[in-house]
Amino acid sequence: MWTRTGARDESEAESGLCHFMEHMLFKGTGHRSAQDISREIEKVGGSLDAFTTKDTMCIYSHVLESRREVAIDLMADMLTGSRFDDSQVTLERNVILEEIGDVEDAPDDLIHEMFAAQLYPAHPLGRPILGSRKTVSSFRQSDLRRYARRAFRSSNVVVSLYGNIDEDELVEICSTRFKFPRGPLAREKARLGGQCRSASTCAGSSTSSTS
């Protein structure tokens, strides 16, 4: 399942919120605990994971054809019924702050963040997908719920399956399992300004020019 919104669709105060929400999808729903989610997919020999980019958030699973109902049911529940419990938000905030620290300690990762910030100043594409320590520390349950309502709507989600599955069956699955609210496309991309900056960044020093 893919959303048509990613890190580039966040405001400055929301920087890192999409990635934070991706983490929280695995932390429990109204029907399952985090342990239940993990046990159910592992019991059928499957895998369940997610990632966030500048342009999208994706949650995906690999299972045997005969176990596809398990994966579909799990992902549908995670996308439509996540609780975003305060206690789990606090725990996951610390995990993400550690991730930010790992990037800061890895020159080969940090150089990409520095380059993007120079190339796209004052633009969402120039901000880290993980967000900053300031923004991540500010996120609360209400922020996650608000962002989920914005991202998980019928016009903003793409359901994709591969393998031996009938098209009519796929349509039936989508209509019965994925109860997303309707509404306009949530993506409102920030546009690049009239100037384009070329940048050269090396180990903390940078030069740039505009044209």
Side-chain angles (χ1 to χ4, degrees), residues 20 24 26-28 34-35 83-94:
F20 202 128
M24 291 301 301
F26 293 83
K27 300 306 175 182
Q35 291 77 15
R83 293 194 307 262
F84 304 122
D85 283 346
D86 285 326
S87 60
Q88 292 293 337
V89 171
T90 299
L91 290 173
E92 209 58 30
R93 180 185 298 116
N94 292 330

Side-chain angles (χ1 to χ4, degrees), residues 3 7 17 27 29 40 73 88 102 141 148 152 157 171 181 196 209:
T3 67
L17 187 55
K27 300 306 175 182
T29 72
E40 285 188 39
D73 189 56
Q88 292 293 337
D102 290 341
Q141 180 189 70
F152 301 143
V157 175
V171 172
C196 178
S209 61

Side-chain angles (χ1 to χ4, degrees), residues 2-194:
W2 304 75
T3 67
R4 295 179 179 179
T5 47
R8 70 175 296 164
D9 303 286
E10 300 166 338
S11 67
E12 187 171 0
E14 292 175 332
S15 180
L17 187 55
C18 184
H19 173 258
F20 202 128
M21 183 183 67
E22 172 221 311
H23 276 232
M24 291 301 301
L25 294 178
F26 293 83
K27 300 306 175 182
T29 72
H31 301 98
R32 295 175 171 92
S33 67
Q35 291 77 15
D36 291 334
I37 293 172
S38 179
R39 289 191 189 109
E40 285 188 39
I41 196 66
E42 290 178 359
K43 192 190 325 187
V44 298
S47 63
L48 184 64
D49 210 341
F51 61 85
T52 302
T53 71
K54 302 280 188 178
D55 297 294
T56 187
M57 191 208 76
C58 175
I59 175 172
Y60 62 95
S61 178
H62 295 115
V63 291
L64 293 174
E65 176 197 342
S66 60
R67 301 296 187 179
R68 61 177 179 251
E69 290 287 326
V70 174
I72 292 169
D73 189 56
L74 274 173
M75 288 188 285
D77 191 24
M78 292 164 68
L79 290 172
T80 62
S82 285
R83 293 194 307 262
F84 304 122
D85 283 346
D86 285 326
S87 60
Q88 292 293 337
V89 171
T90 299
L91 290 173
E92 209 58 30
R93 180 185 298 116
N94 292 330
V95 171
I96 296 172
L97 289 174
E98 289 182 6
E99 287 186 19
I100 293 174
D102 290 341
V103 171
E104 293 171 344
D105 290 337
D108 53 336
D109 290 332
L110 183 60
I111 194 68
H112 290 288
E113 305 287 6
M114 295 169 63
F115 182 75
Q118 289 291 319
L119 190 61
Y120 302 110
H123 187 278
L125 287 176
R127 297 194 289 263
I129 293 172
L130 300 182
S132 66
R133 293 182 182 276
K134 180 180 178 181
T135 57
V136 169
S137 297
S138 73
F139 296 150
R140 299 294 182 266
Q141 180 189 70
S142 58
D143 300 308
L144 292 160
R145 287 180 171 171
R146 171 176 48 79
Y147 192 87
R149 287 194 299 269
R150 192 169 92 203
F152 301 143
R153 57 181 67 187
S154 58
S155 59
N156 202 48
V157 175
V158 175
V159 179
S160 174
L161 284 82
Y162 66 92
N164 185 23
I165 184 168
D166 181 75
E167 182 179 349
D168 292 335
E169 181 183 357
L170 174 58
V171 172
E172 177 67 17
I173 288 170
C174 291
S175 62
T176 58
R177 298 295 183 87
F178 298 104
K179 300 293 186 180
F180 297 116
R182 296 187 178 185
L185 184 63
R187 161 162 265 171
E188 295 179 0
K189 283 188 181 180
R191 301 299 176 182
L192 292 174

